[in-house]
Amino acid sequence: AFNGDLKLYEKVLLLCEFPFTLFRKASIPIPCEGYYNRGFIALSMALSPLWFAFYLLGHEINLFSKSLILYFMIYWAIAIVIGASILRLAPGGEGNMSMVAAAPVALYGFVMAATWIDYIADHLVSLLDFIGIVLHIPGTIMGLTVLAWGNSMGDLSANMTMARKGLGNMAMTACFAGPVFNILMGLGLGFSSLEAQTHKQDAAVSLSAPIVTGFIFVLINCGAILVTGTMVGKGRIEPYYGYIALALYTIYVVTSITLELT
């Protein structure tokens, strides 16, 4: 049943989204408290190899080929056995799996969730490219506005929630740890994947004006944090730094768009 507060178009969107949401949840085992359901964890564990095989097809790896089908069948059989074991041995009802059993399942679920994120992100980029072509908007502008905002909404919501609960240090750390992870792991895995596909150790990279501008504003922001946190705040970042950060981001976006259009 629908929530009575939902509007008609929201109900229609939920109906359209339901098959994808169901298959996504049925391929990502989540043994965490609050999401624990023994039967669904067992089902998602058994079905996850099918999703992983479909995901790898987009990376030109066919697990159903003659050379790889045996490995896929072994992988699928192991997943089914683990799923059956969870269904038989894991606690039901209000109980939770032990940490020893839940940790590896959660780690596996994290890997499956990462494949979904990569799959959706890849198609989102393709959609943005299509919109940019139709509307004659440069891809760089789409990336530094719509795509950047969309990718950051989850982190923004989580960090704001932590800050409001008094976990300021954790929120501040997450603000930096997330981009560092995305840059280092994204570039590292991206270039490694490119080398594996092209078999070339060298790849030409050009730094556009918006990218160089982004580097400059990152350095300015880091300097502003150090100044306000160490020299002015004596180890405490004052609230007015938030206005400085918002002003720097606004100037960055305007500057990048101006450089791109000129």
Side-chain angles (χ1 to χ4, degrees):
F2 287 108
N3 189 323
D5 296 333
L6 293 179
K7 298 179 181 179
L8 178 60
Y9 75 91
E10 292 176 326
K11 296 180 180 180
V12 174
L13 291 176
L14 279 177
L15 276 176
C16 296
E17 184 187 359
F18 176 74
F20 303 97
T21 301
L22 180 62
F23 187 63
R24 185 181 73 248
K25 290 183 176 295
S27 57
I28 303 177
I30 304 177
C32 305
E33 185 178 355
Y35 299 90
Y36 178 76
N37 184 294
R38 181 180 60 182
F40 210 74
I41 294 175
L43 177 65
S44 59
M45 180 64 70
L47 295 180
S48 60
L50 296 175
W51 157 251
F52 191 63
F54 174 78
Y55 166 77
L56 290 181
L57 285 175
H59 295 268
E60 300 181 356
I61 301 176
N62 185 6
L63 293 182
F64 301 107
S65 63
K66 292 183 179 180
S67 59
L68 297 176
I69 186 65
L70 178 61
Y71 298 102
F72 171 73
M73 295 304 296
I74 295 174
Y75 168 39
W76 196 7
I78 294 175
I80 292 176
V81 171
I82 295 176
S85 300
I86 293 174
L87 191 62
R88 177 65 179 85
L89 302 175
E94 298 297 328
N96 290 304
M97 294 176 63
S98 64
M99 184 61 65
V100 176
V105 175
L107 179 61
Y108 178 73
F110 172 80
V111 174
M112 291 297 105
T115 60
W116 271 97
I117 293 173
D118 180 68
Y119 180 81
I120 294 173
D122 183 56
H123 285 72
L124 177 60
V125 171
S126 300
L127 176 61
L128 290 177
D129 287 340
F130 173 76
I131 294 175
I133 293 173
V134 172
L135 300 179
H136 303 288
I137 301 175
T140 307
I141 294 179
M142 295 290 291
L144 67 88
T145 54
V146 179
L147 183 58
W149 298 334
N151 286 342
S152 302
M153 282 298 104
D155 293 338
L156 175 63
S157 176
N159 294 339
M160 289 179 63
T161 301
M162 287 188 291
R164 288 170 179 169
K165 291 184 176 181
L167 303 174
N169 289 335
M170 184 182 296
M172 180 64 73
T173 303
C175 287
F176 287 92
V180 168
F181 177 84
N182 290 336
I183 292 174
L184 298 183
M185 293 299 294
L187 291 177
L189 294 176
F191 280 113
S192 299
S193 177
L194 178 64
E195 180 183 353
Q197 292 179 3
T198 61
H199 303 290
K200 295 180 180 179
Q201 296 183 350
D202 298 328
V205 177
S206 60
L207 297 180
S208 62
I211 295 178
V212 176
T213 305
F215 288 151
I216 294 173
F217 274 86
V218 167
L219 293 176
I220 295 175
N221 180 58
C222 292
I225 291 177
L226 291 176
V227 171
T228 57
T230 58
M231 300 180 183
V232 179
K234 304 300 181 181
R236 179 177 180 273
I237 297 179
E238 298 295 335
Y240 61 77
Y241 166 74
Y243 298 102
I244 296 176
L246 291 175
L248 285 175
Y249 181 74
T250 302
I251 297 172
Y252 157 68
V253 173
V254 173
T255 304
S256 299
I257 293 177
T258 303
L259 291 174
E260 183 65 25
L261 296 178
T262 55

